[in-house]
Amino acid sequence: MSAPKSKIIPSRSAKRAHFDPESIYPILDEALFCTISYSVDNQPFSIPTSFVRHENKIYIHGSVGSHFIREIEKGIPVCITVMLVDALVVAKSAFSHSVNYRSVVIFAQAEVIDDIDLKTASFEWLTNKIVPGSWGYLRPVKGNEVKKTTALAFALDEASAKMRSGMPIDEEEDQDLPIWSGLIPLKTSRLEPISDSSSENILLPEHLL
């Protein structure tokens, strides 16, 4: 698979930019949500939604009646962003504080998925990303449910990753100050599942353990 041919040139901290799939794909695969931004009649919109990557495209789903979906399925330009935060970077001055992060920016246009098999497969990819191993456990998706849902794909041809890692970068004159500096790591984790009232007597399935 060839690398995305990105036209995105960051104006600041260009050395943190990466355009190769090996940098972009792991961020997209770890993130559960993205934000899709677009403009209609000079009115800006920015919508968070879940997504999944498969090969060199990402996929989202939405109701066929969604105003958001109906606008972007026309093929208008969109900007899609993803950000993962790994740590707060605490320096000896407020000016030098920062964040360790991994992010992706994508410029693309929506491709409507009409092929039923691909559309259903994209549902499976997303379901298993949000709750790994759950697709085969759940009640099979119905044909009318597929028809009621729009699936959109976005190519990663114009995608770039940007990231920061490491300790604070203090000004030279601040380095000997008796002020603590370092990292405060952050982590998003899945906690123990909580049953609803209809599932209190059902054993927790293995894929949720």
Side-chain angles (χ1 to χ4, degrees):
M1 183 181 302
S2 60
K5 299 177 181 179
S6 177
K7 301 176 183 176
I8 307 167
I9 307 297
S11 60
R12 298 189 62 190
S13 302
K15 64 183 179 181
R16 295 178 183 168
H18 303 268
F19 303 96
D20 56 289
E22 292 76 17
S23 297
I24 295 169
Y25 290 176
I27 299 171
L28 297 177
D29 292 345
E30 181 176 342
L32 297 178
F33 305 100
C34 67
T35 299
I36 301 182
S37 301
Y38 61 100
S39 177
V40 176
D41 297 329
N42 292 320
Q43 172 66 48
F45 295 88
S46 194
I47 308 295
T49 187
S50 57
F51 75 98
V52 65
R53 180 193 69 84
H54 182 74
E55 298 181 344
N56 197 44
K57 293 181 180 180
I58 66 170
Y59 294 80
I60 70 167
H61 306 127
S63 168
V64 294
S66 164
H67 177 268
F68 157 59
I69 293 293
R70 285 189 282 117
E71 287 296 340
I72 65 173
E73 73 178 355
K74 298 174 184 177
I76 62 175
V78 301
C79 178
I80 304 171
T81 57
V82 168
M83 181 174 178
L84 301 171
V85 179
D86 298 315
L88 304 177
V89 181
V90 181
K92 295 181 184 294
S93 72
F95 181 80
S96 296
H97 275 42
S98 188
V99 175
N100 282 348
Y101 67 93
R102 292 163 289 146
S103 66
V104 172
V105 175
I106 305 161
F107 290 104
Q109 294 171 294
E111 170 192 346
V112 180
I113 305 302
D114 292 319
D115 181 86
I116 296 299
D117 290 338
L118 178 56
K119 190 176 182 182
T120 304
S122 71
F123 295 167
E124 179 178 356
W125 300 332
L126 181 59
T127 301
N128 279 334
K129 179 183 181 181
I130 300 299
V131 185
S134 63
W135 182 263
Y137 172 81
L138 300 171
R139 185 263 291 161
V141 65
K142 298 177 181 178
N144 66 329
E145 293 172 331
V146 176
K147 292 179 180 179
K148 291 178 181 178
T149 307
T150 298
L152 301 178
F154 301 86
L156 299 176
D157 296 332
E158 293 189 41
S160 68
K162 196 174 179 183
M163 53 195 78
R164 185 201 190 278
S165 61
M167 288 292 177
I169 303 175
D170 283 300
E171 299 292 336
E172 186 174 354
E173 62 267 27
D174 292 341
Q175 292 180 4
D176 293 330
L177 293 175
I179 298 173
W180 185 89
S181 59
L183 302 179
I184 302 176
L186 300 177
K187 181 180 180 181
T188 299
S189 60
R190 298 178 187 242
L191 304 181
E192 184 177 349
I194 301 171
S195 299
D196 71 10
S197 58
S198 67
S199 300
E200 290 176 348
N201 296 320
I202 299 175
L203 291 176
L204 197 65
E206 187 174 343
H207 68 274
L208 295 180
L209 294 176

